[in-house]
Protein backbone atom coordinates (compact mmCIF):
# COMPACT_ATOMS: atom_id res chain seq x y z
CA UNK A 1 0.00 0.00 0.00
CA UNK A 2 1.54 3.29 -1.12
CA UNK A 3 0.36 5.31 1.89
CA UNK A 4 1.94 2.84 4.30
CA UNK A 5 5.28 3.07 2.50
CA UNK A 6 5.03 6.85 2.38
CA UNK A 7 4.24 7.03 6.10
CA UNK A 8 7.27 4.84 6.86
CA UNK A 9 9.50 7.29 4.97
CA UNK A 10 7.79 10.48 6.11
CA UNK A 11 5.54 10.00 9.17
CA UNK A 12 3.19 12.93 8.71
CA UNK A 13 -0.34 13.03 10.14
CA UNK A 14 -1.74 13.82 6.68
CA UNK A 15 -0.30 10.59 5.25
CA UNK A 16 -1.48 8.66 8.33
CA UNK A 17 -5.00 10.04 7.87
CA UNK A 18 -5.05 9.03 4.20
CA UNK A 19 -3.69 5.59 5.11
CA UNK A 20 -6.47 5.07 7.66
CA UNK A 21 -9.15 6.18 5.17
CA UNK A 22 -7.80 3.82 2.50
CA UNK A 23 -7.82 0.97 5.02
CA UNK A 24 -11.41 1.74 5.99
CA UNK A 25 -12.45 1.80 2.35
CA UNK A 26 -10.81 -1.57 1.73
CA UNK A 27 -12.35 -3.22 4.82
CA UNK A 28 -9.11 -3.38 6.80
CA UNK A 29 -10.83 -2.12 9.93
CA UNK A 30 -8.26 -3.30 12.46
CA UNK A 31 -5.39 -1.59 10.64
CA UNK A 32 -7.51 1.53 10.23
CA UNK A 33 -8.45 1.57 13.93
CA UNK A 34 -4.81 1.25 14.98
CA UNK A 35 -3.76 4.06 12.64
CA UNK A 36 -6.63 6.28 13.77
CA UNK A 37 -5.61 5.65 17.38
CA UNK A 38 -2.06 6.77 16.47
CA UNK A 39 -3.47 9.82 14.67
CA UNK A 40 -5.50 10.80 17.74
CA UNK A 41 -2.41 10.47 19.97
CA UNK A 42 -0.39 12.76 17.69
CA UNK A 43 1.05 15.93 19.20
CA UNK A 44 1.52 17.45 15.74
CA UNK A 45 -0.18 20.90 15.59
CA UNK A 46 -1.61 19.95 12.17
CA UNK A 47 -3.92 17.54 14.02
CA UNK A 48 -6.49 20.07 15.16
CA UNK A 49 -9.43 19.43 17.49
CA UNK A 50 -11.74 19.45 14.47
CA UNK A 51 -9.61 16.78 12.76
CA UNK A 52 -9.51 14.74 15.96
CA UNK A 53 -13.30 14.88 16.10
CA UNK A 54 -13.49 13.48 12.54
CA UNK A 55 -10.91 10.80 13.38
CA UNK A 56 -12.86 9.82 16.52
CA UNK A 57 -16.00 9.36 14.43
CA UNK A 58 -14.12 7.17 11.93
CA UNK A 59 -12.62 5.17 14.80
CA UNK A 60 -16.10 4.60 16.23
CA UNK A 61 -17.25 3.38 12.80
CA UNK A 62 -14.28 0.98 12.51
CA UNK A 63 -14.88 -0.36 16.02
CA UNK A 64 -18.42 -1.43 15.04
CA UNK A 65 -16.82 -4.07 12.81
CA UNK A 66 -14.35 -5.24 15.45
CA UNK A 67 -14.25 -6.35 19.05
CA UNK A 68 -11.94 -5.11 21.73
CA UNK A 69 -10.24 -5.72 25.02
CA UNK A 70 -9.42 -3.61 28.03
CA UNK A 71 -6.40 -4.82 29.95
CA UNK A 72 -5.71 -4.40 33.66
CA UNK A 73 -2.14 -5.26 34.63
CA UNK A 74 0.79 -4.00 36.66
CA UNK A 75 2.12 -0.60 35.67
CA UNK A 76 5.04 -0.90 33.27
CA UNK A 77 4.08 -4.39 32.11
CA UNK A 78 4.88 -5.29 28.53
CA UNK A 79 1.68 -6.39 26.82
CA UNK A 80 1.37 -8.40 23.64
CA UNK A 81 -1.55 -9.92 21.79
CA UNK A 82 -0.94 -12.96 19.61
CA UNK A 83 2.82 -12.43 20.03
CA UNK A 84 2.62 -8.84 18.72
CA UNK A 85 3.50 -6.02 21.16
CA UNK A 86 0.78 -3.41 21.58
CA UNK A 87 1.51 -0.16 19.77
CA UNK A 88 3.05 2.40 22.12
CA UNK A 89 0.07 4.74 21.72
CA UNK A 90 -2.11 2.41 23.77
CA UNK A 91 -2.09 3.19 27.48
CA UNK A 92 -3.55 1.63 30.60
CA UNK A 93 -7.28 1.12 30.27
CA UNK A 94 -7.43 2.00 26.56
CA UNK A 95 -9.73 -0.04 24.39
CA UNK A 96 -7.51 -2.24 22.23
CA UNK A 97 -9.26 -3.11 19.00
CA UNK A 98 -9.08 -6.73 17.77
CA UNK A 99 -10.70 -8.83 15.11
CA UNK A 100 -13.37 -11.12 16.55
CA UNK A 101 -12.11 -14.59 17.43
CA UNK A 102 -9.61 -16.31 19.68
CA UNK A 103 -6.49 -14.47 20.87
CA UNK A 104 -3.78 -14.83 23.51
CA UNK A 105 -2.90 -11.83 25.69
CA UNK A 106 0.46 -11.82 27.49
CA UNK A 107 1.60 -9.59 30.34
CA UNK A 108 5.30 -9.57 31.19
CA UNK A 109 6.67 -7.94 34.34
CA UNK A 110 9.80 -8.33 36.44
CA UNK A 111 7.81 -10.92 38.43
CA UNK A 112 7.18 -13.11 35.39
CA UNK A 113 4.97 -13.80 32.42
CA UNK A 114 1.24 -14.49 32.40
CA UNK A 115 -0.85 -15.64 29.42
CA UNK A 116 -4.59 -15.50 29.03
CA UNK A 117 -6.47 -17.03 26.12
CA UNK A 118 -9.57 -14.97 25.27
CA UNK A 119 -12.43 -14.91 22.81
CA UNK A 120 -13.31 -11.52 21.36
CA UNK A 121 -16.87 -11.04 20.12
CA UNK A 122 -17.99 -8.60 17.43
CA UNK A 123 -18.96 -5.25 18.95
CA UNK A 124 -18.12 -6.36 22.48
CA UNK A 125 -15.37 -5.39 24.91
CA UNK A 126 -13.68 -8.16 26.87
CA UNK A 127 -11.97 -7.32 30.16
CA UNK A 128 -8.60 -9.01 30.68
CA UNK A 129 -7.15 -8.74 34.18
CA UNK A 130 -3.73 -9.92 35.31
CA UNK A 131 -2.74 -10.24 38.97
Amino acid sequence: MAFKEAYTIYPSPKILWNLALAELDSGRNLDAARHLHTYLASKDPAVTQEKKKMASKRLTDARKKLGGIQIETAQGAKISVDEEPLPQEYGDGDLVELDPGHHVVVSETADGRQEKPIKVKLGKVTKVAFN
Side-chain angles (χ1 to χ4, degrees):
M1 184 177 266
F3 286 123
K4 193 169 190 175
E5 291 172 12
Y7 184 70
T8 301
I9 295 166
Y10 183 71
S12 92
K14 186 174 184 177
I15 295 171
L16 186 60
W17 174 252
N18 288 322
L19 172 60
L21 292 181
E23 289 166 337
L24 285 170
D25 288 344
S26 64
R28 296 181 58 190
N29 295 296
L30 181 58
D31 291 332
R34 298 264 168 98
H35 288 124
L36 287 165
H37 199 95
T38 301
Y39 184 87
L40 287 165
S42 175
K43 303 291 186 218
D44 191 304
V47 182
T48 63
Q49 289 298 7
E50 184 176 325
K51 290 178 181 178
K52 284 187 177 190
K53 193 183 267 188
M54 289 188 313
S56 290
K57 182 183 179 322
R58 295 292 185 132
L59 180 56
T60 298
D61 293 343
R63 284 178 172 166
K64 290 176 185 174
K65 299 171 185 159
L66 300 167
I69 59 174
Q70 284 186 312
I71 303 167
E72 294 177 21
T73 190
Q75 189 166 357
K78 293 181 182 176
I79 304 296
S80 62
V81 178
D82 300 331
E83 299 184 25
E84 293 289 325
L86 284 187
Q88 65 183 8
E89 292 81 17
Y90 288 87
D92 285 343
D94 279 351
L95 174 65
V96 178
E97 302 86 1
L98 291 173
D99 286 319
H102 294 276
H103 300 276
V104 176
V105 182
V106 175
S107 173
E108 291 185 75
T109 65
D111 294 332
R113 173 186 166 104
Q114 294 181 354
E115 283 188 22
K116 293 212 176 192
I118 59 165
K119 182 175 182 184
V120 174
K121 296 179 182 177
L122 179 66
K124 302 290 183 190
V125 176
T126 302
K127 304 276 186 190
V128 182
F130 293 95
N131 302 345

